[in-house]
Amino acid sequence: MGRLREWASQLARLASYMGPDKHRFLAAMALVVAMSYANAIIPVLIRDAVDRGIVPGNVEAAVRYALLIIAAGLIGGAASYTARMLQVRAAQNTVYRLRMDAFRSIQRQRMEFFDKTLVGQLISRVTNDAERVTGFLSWRLRMLAYSVFLIIISLYYMLRMNILLAAVALATILIVMSLNTLYALRVRPVYDKIRHQTGVLASVATASIAGIKTVKSLAVEDYIYRKFEAENEELYRLNVEATRISSIYGNLSFLVMGLSMGGMLYLGGRAILAGILSVGELAAFLMYMLTMMWPLRALGFVIGDIQRTLAAAQRLFSIIDSAPKSLDRPGAVCPRPEEVRGEVIVEDVWFTYHTGRTALRGVSLHVRPGEKLLITGPPGSGKSTLLKVIARLYEPQRGRVLIDGIDVRDIKSECLRRIVAYVPQEPFIFNRSIRENIALAKPNASLEEIRWAAEKAKIRDFIESLPDRYDTVVGERGISLSGGQRQRIALARALLLKPRILLLDDPVSNLDAETEKRLVEDLGEILEGRTAIIVSQRPSLARIADRVAVMVDGRIVEIGTHEELLRRRGVYYRIWKSVEGGEDVGEE
Amino acid sequence: MSGRSSASLLVRFVREAFTDRKILLIIAVSIAGSSLSTLASPYLLKIAIDEYIIPGRYEKLPLIAFLYLLALVGQWLFMTLQTYYVEVFGQRVLRRLRASLEEKVLRARLDFFAERSTGDLVSRLINDTNLVNDVLVSGLLGGIGSMLSVVGIVAAMLILDVRLTLATLSTVPLMVFIAKYFGGRIRRAYRETRKRIAKLSSIVEETVSGIETVRSFGRERMVEEEFDRASRETISAFMRVARYMGVFWPLMNLATLASISIVIGYGAYLAYTGAATVGVVVAFVQYAQRIRGPINNVVSMYDSLQSALASLERIYEVLDDPRVEDDEGIRISRLRGDIAVENVWFWYPGRRDPALRGVSLHIRPGERVALVGHTGAGKTTLANLLMRFYDPQKGRILYDGIDSRSISRRSLRSRIGYVPQETYLFPGTIMENIKLGKPDAGDEDVVRVCKELGIHEFIMRLPRGYQTPAGEAGRLLSVGEKQLISIARAMLRDPDIVILDEALSSVDPKTESRVLSAMAKLMAGRTSIIIAHRLAVTRLADKVVVLEGGRIVEEGPPRELLERRGAFYRLYTSQEMLARG
Ligand SMILES: Nc1ncnc2c1ncn2[C@@H]1O[C@H](COP(=O)(O)OP(=O)(O)OP(=O)(O)O)[C@@H](O)[C@H]1O
Ligand SMILES: Nc1ncnc2c1ncn2[C@@H]1O[C@H](COP(=O)(O)OP(=O)(O)OP(=O)(O)O)[C@@H](O)[C@H]1O
Ligand SMILES: [Mg+2]
Ligand SMILES: [Mg+2]
């Protein structure tokens, strides 16, 4: 019962997406009635043609009925065309709204959501699940209405012709329908497993292609291949299983139909001999059975499908529901970028990832407007997490981040992006032209601006040495670029925006010393008057930094100017000594 | 696609696929049986009506009804056999195709991947193979069945009555025309919808994989507009399909009805003149209805064949790509670690300028070499050649005096611990990822290596230690952690040579020097090549090699190079100066 109520509410929700297309659906349904009537009447016309035309040898009557059959076909065809167009349009529009809603909500999701969800699953939501809903709303629903009406109308005519034969037909319909429903219920779970297994196989293949260099350098091709083969075998097994079910159950209804048509022939023959049935009527009965074969089958599938469609819709709904209504709090403000001073205050911030890893344990920080802060520390100490929290990609469980005294959660995210530019540690390079990659946040940037940014990021010479220059397409994830080239393109992206506050995560890790030096010199200039928080493992950046902070295990353990920290002879000093070389300071 | 090449594609496919004789025999028998029984039932109906029902011969009626029933049961039986075995056969073909594609992908050279996206390859492996199965295997065998049915039905009709047969078949040309006219259009329209859907997936893929970048650069609105546009295009593609289908099915239906009408009108006339019996006419009405399906199948087969061929072509394109890594050559079980690079030149496919221009280098067993140079100088490229991901176009590389080209790639690689610049972790736990370095290693080996390298405590700090999931492409770990894990993975196999390509670039200098010293201890007496930008690591090196613009410009012990005040000195001091401020 609870289940039914749940279904009803899901259906109602789905219906709410129909919006203005509701009348299209209704009109389509009305036309479907007309269409099924036109098709159901044909066996009756054939009966009359046989009984009144062929048997008595009345050619004129036979021709008249033949023409009526064609007329019925024409009317049915016109109705079918119109109904289809109306309904497909309505279904597509409905699902368009649903799909956009889902996509928008994906974009609104918190970052944790992406940590927990596989990309492939999300793709499957907006493609497969949405398509299933479309298929249901457009053609399955039409099939359902068509089949129901066709069966009812056919039964009506059969009953008028002969009660006994009609009873046989009715019994057949019931048996076939339940067989088909049983079939659909049986085979659907296997189909679902097949779909899932296909996804598994695809993800094994994807990982082996995306990580091909790793696979090859470890020489584990055979190992990966065996893994693939196991999944491939499983997919084969499931498919054979589905085939077994569908060849037995799927065809069983043909057997039942055959049995009942044999029975009808026998009973009908006796009825004709007894004079209570005409030859035409027998032909009409057999014809009805043939006509109903396909709708009966469809009916079984539609019934099995309702639940699955609702499940697909539910998956889309749950993405929509799990997203916050908006990335911004009500009453969020939008400070004008040019009026922002660029003060960043982090107040006792605690942050735990969904895996249970507490990456920040009470971090407090005050970065004055225009100050440059360098953060350094061992792997996994929470440096990147801190930048992400400041950029409001993640929200802390405790504590807060203020920009110019305003809690970042109270700043509209759109505006925040114009104030704060964040370059991730592993920037994502899109498989597009270099120009589009640099002008990511400012698609209308002029070539001049792009050149300027490229110049400052020390990548201009390289780009201009390429045959297609800024129009060079860089391949998936920027594969045709060297590590340092990718890094500088990502930096150019941020510089192009000239934001008040820059958050750079490890921006020079893949640059050589000389390029780094030239870049850092320019950076010093560009950062004039801007606030910057830079994570780096190159204490060389300390030169343009006003202060340095060292993070260990989610806490800031030291903060001060470069010289102060060196004098303190603490963690920073030890890190520093290992850069300097000389003795190995690996002791704990 | 030219006629000849598509025919040869088909021939090749059939030759490769249709090898399972036993199943094929069962299929052939069931196809023949099912078409025979399909056409028997209307014939029996005619006999029942003409010879028993109309003349009023009641006594034989049960027999004929029984035969009728038998024909229908036979139809069911053969159909069941046919659907089962055709599908099983198809699934076997499919399994083999997928396996050979994956095998090919694993054996392909790296430049094979340069122009293809992961999504495209995966789609060939999953979708194209499916399409080939649906159409070529099931479709072809089903089509043969349909063809037999048509032939059988026509034969049965001819036996019953030639004139009525012609009358029934009079609309067949119309059906063929309709099916041909719409078949191709519907298929193309469908293909269009698939393309649109693929576009939607790629937008989602890009947005989700790059969500940090998308979000921090405020791209949301632009991405949404793009998605909106693609969704609208999807609608119009589906509407086109609906329009064609909306006309196609009613037209086919009308053609069938027309042929029934013709049979009725003409049959009535024949019955009136006594040239045909009522039973014959009723039987023809049924034939007219039954012939539509098979004809439609046969005609549409032509078009689906075209699209399946397109998929087949995409599959063979991958299978036939000559850029594979063979695994031939000497199988080495150990390397002493002597590496000689002799005048090596290398061009990336499609690039005009060489990435390496005449590099010569000799590394003695047990030597520790630091490879430094500007970004884009060709360091990674040299590592790629050492790993035999590519072979040089000019010059050669010798391992222990043996030309690398004559050493089996896999045996070479399994003796080298290589950590690429972009670390890649597979979805799975940290333990599983490290074990990939040596799949038969035990958990305790992994822990031991991590302890020796000083990585253990970093891993133990994570919520579930070695059982912590790495996430998709390692997104649940910090970059430095990923680098440490990749090093453990490479060291687990106890290699004869290590090559680290900026393997610790995101790790703090203290951890880096600890890991490197630990590694130096583990690798004592063995060769190591370390590519690094942080020049402090050069102090662990016996020899520094400076690459610039694809050439080696300097080579020698670090102290000597510093004294020489050349390229290395400049690099080194610029870092020093930077550091000192
Ligand atoms: N797959 C590729 N296809 C085409 N060109 C490439 C490819 N990989 C690298 N290149 C180009 O070859 C040159 C050398 O690249 P390489 O990756 O060897 O540099 P690198 O010295 O490792 O630099 P970095 O320190 O930035 O990693 C670069 O100009 C780069 O753009
Ligand atoms: N998306 C995530 N989900 C779960 N845990 C995460 C996630 N990202 C990072 N972590 C964990 O949180 C801790 C802090 O990670 P963070 O990326 O902030 O480190 P980091 O200081 O930037 O290190 P690195 O110098 O290696 O970049 C790490 O132990 C890491 O494994
Ligand atoms: Mg980090
Ligand atoms: Mg490199």
Side-chain angles (χ1 to χ4, degrees), chain A residues 54 57 62 66 69-70 73-74 81 84 92 96 100 103-104 107 109 111 115 119 123 126 131 198 206-208 211 213-218 220-223 225 228 232-233 235-236 239 243 247 251 258-259 265-266 270 272-273 286-287 357 378-380 388 414 417 424-426 428 430 432 440-441 443 476-477 480 486 488 493 506 509-514 517 537-538 540 543 553 576 578-581 584 586 588, chain B residues 45 53 56 58 69 72 76 80 83-84 87 91-92 95 98-99 102 105-106 108 117-118 122 126 194 201 204-206 210 212-213 215-217 219-222 224 226-228 232 238 242-243 246 250 254 257 261 264 268-269 272 281 289 325 351 373-375 384 387 389 410 413 418 421-422 424 426 436 461 472 475 478-479 481-482 489 493 502 505-506 508-510 514 517 533-534 536 539 571 574 578-580:
Chain A
I54 299 171
I69 288 173
I70 292 187
L74 276 174
Y81 177 79
R84 182 192 294 264
Q92 288 287 346
Y96 163 78
M100 283 311 292
F103 186 74
R104 268 185 228 117
Q107 296 233 56
Q109 292 283 359
M111 290 302 285
D115 291 343
V119 183
I123 293 177
V126 294
E131 270 194 278
T198 308
T206 305
S208 69
K213 204 168 172 184
T214 302
V215 170
K216 284 183 180 301
S217 45
L218 296 172
V220 286
E221 291 96 334
D222 288 340
Y223 176 77
Y225 182 71
F228 180 88
N232 195 15
E233 187 61 34
L235 182 58
Y236 169 77
N239 267 307
T243 301
S247 53
N251 288 322
L259 288 174
L265 185 63
Y266 176 71
R270 277 179 55 168
I272 293 174
L273 293 181
L286 296 179
M287 184 100 181
R357 169 80 164 144
K388 288 180 205 169
E414 226 179 295
R417 302 298 165 226
Q425 197 167 7
E426 290 176 300
F428 191 87
F430 294 87
R432 302 178 182 206
L440 200 63
E476 202 177 21
R477 310 275 195 274
S480 66
R486 280 193 284 267
R488 284 172 289 161
R493 255 179 207 167
D506 223 1
S509 64
N510 280 304
L511 299 189
D512 61 277
E514 262 180 280
K517 181 178 159 210
Q537 301 296 3
R538 306 252 183 115
S540 52
R543 187 178 145 200
D553 225 358
W576 184 248
S578 24
V579 182
E580 290 252 279
D584 188 355
E588 268 310 287
Chain B
L45 182 65
I53 296 175
Y58 174 68
L69 197 137
L72 290 166
W76 166 75
T80 305
T83 38
Y84 181 73
E87 191 55 32
Q91 287 299 332
R92 286 191 187 174
R95 179 178 56 176
R98 282 191 301 247
E102 171 76 5
V105 162
L106 286 172
S117 73
T118 310
V122 173
I126 304 282
R194 295 333 303 168
S201 344
V204 177
E205 203 271 336
E206 229 183 39
E212 270 189 8
T213 300
R215 198 162 277 185
S216 41
F217 287 92
R219 285 278 291 182
E220 290 97 334
R221 185 149 316 153
M222 282 165 253
E224 189 185 316
E226 212 178 340
F227 189 80
D228 186 273
R232 284 173 194 281
F238 273 105
R243 201 164 312 125
L254 263 178
L257 291 179
S261 303
I264 288 174
Y269 170 75
Y272 167 71
V281 179
Q289 211 181 15
E325 296 187 331
R351 286 270 167 108
H374 287 165
T375 142
N384 282 341
M387 288 300 287
F389 291 134
R410 242 181 266 177
R413 287 176 192 158
Y418 170 63
Q421 194 165 8
E422 278 71 46
Y424 184 87
F426 292 87
L436 213 52
R461 227 172 268 155
E472 232 175 5
R475 69 176 293 154
S478 89
V479 178
E481 287 165 345
K482 281 193 282 190
R489 181 163 69 185
R493 57 189 20 202
E502 315 242 344
S505 61
S506 293
D508 66 294
K510 190 177 150 212
R514 265 175 44 202
S517 323
H533 284 312
R534 263 189 319 221
R539 70 169 186 275
L571 268 177
S574 57
L578 261 177
R580 292 183 192 285

Side-chain angles (χ1 to χ4, degrees), chain A residues 411-487:
Chain A
I411 301 177
K412 279 200 185 123
S413 59
E414 226 179 295
C415 309
L416 187 65
R417 302 298 165 226
R418 263 181 267 136
I419 300 167
V420 180
Y422 162 67
V423 180
Q425 197 167 7
E426 290 176 300
F428 191 87
I429 304 287
F430 294 87
N431 186 9
R432 302 178 182 206
S433 68
I434 293 180
R435 179 202 303 260
E436 280 174 276
N437 265 298
I438 294 181
L440 200 63
K442 206 174 167 188
N444 51 357
S446 69
L447 189 56
E448 266 327 296
E449 288 175 89
I450 293 176
R451 277 214 192 103
W452 176 85
E455 166 68 41
K456 293 301 167 195
K458 297 286 158 274
I459 186 73
R460 180 169 168 185
D461 291 344
F462 168 72
I463 298 173
E464 299 190 350
S465 78
L466 294 168
D468 293 329
R469 299 154 71 90
Y470 291 89
D471 294 320
T472 310
V473 177
V474 294
E476 202 177 21
R477 310 275 195 274
I479 187 159
S480 66
L481 300 171
S482 85
Q485 288 160 353
R486 280 193 284 267
Q487 203 159 36

Side-chain angles (χ1 to χ4, degrees), chain B residues 494-550:
Chain B
D494 195 19
D496 300 327
I497 297 176
V498 281
I499 302 176
L500 304 187
D501 191 352
E502 315 242 344
L504 290 164
S505 61
S506 293
V507 170
D508 66 294
K510 190 177 150 212
T511 310
E512 178 183 39
S513 82
R514 265 175 44 202
V515 171
L516 285 180
S517 323
M519 214 162 78
K521 239 173 264 160
L522 287 177
M523 290 297 293
R526 284 179 272 180
T527 307
S528 52
I529 300 173
I530 294 171
I531 300 174
H533 284 312
R534 263 189 319 221
L535 301 172
V537 309
T538 56
R539 70 169 186 275
L540 286 171
D542 301 318
K543 178 154 85 180
V544 172
V545 175
V546 186
L547 264 180
E548 219 171 272

Side-chain angles (χ1 to χ4, degrees), chain B residues 549-570:
Chain B
R551 283 195 191 88
I552 292 184
V553 292
E554 250 181 7
E555 183 184 344
R559 274 185 213 295
E560 228 172 78
L561 291 191
L562 283 179
E563 278 159 26
R564 204 188 289 171
R565 306 203 157 232
F568 181 63
Y569 176 79
R570 279 200 305 280

Side-chain angles (χ1 to χ4, degrees), chain B residues 230-295:
Chain B
S231 301
R232 284 173 194 281
E233 282 167 2
T234 312
I235 297 186
S236 41
F238 273 105
M239 287 314 293
R240 184 152 344 117
V241 170
R243 201 164 312 125
Y244 286 137
M245 296 285 259
V247 179
F248 173 72
W249 286 112
L251 274 186
M252 273 314 249
N253 194 29
L254 263 178
T256 311
L257 291 179
S259 114
I260 293 179
S261 303
I262 292 171
V263 169
I264 288 174
Y266 187 53
Y269 170 75
L270 291 182
Y272 167 71
T273 58
T277 62
V278 173
V280 169
V281 179
V282 172
F284 268 93
V285 170
Q286 290 223 359
Y287 276 132
Q289 211 181 15
R290 277 175 189 234
I291 204 166
R292 168 172 91 169
I295 286 190

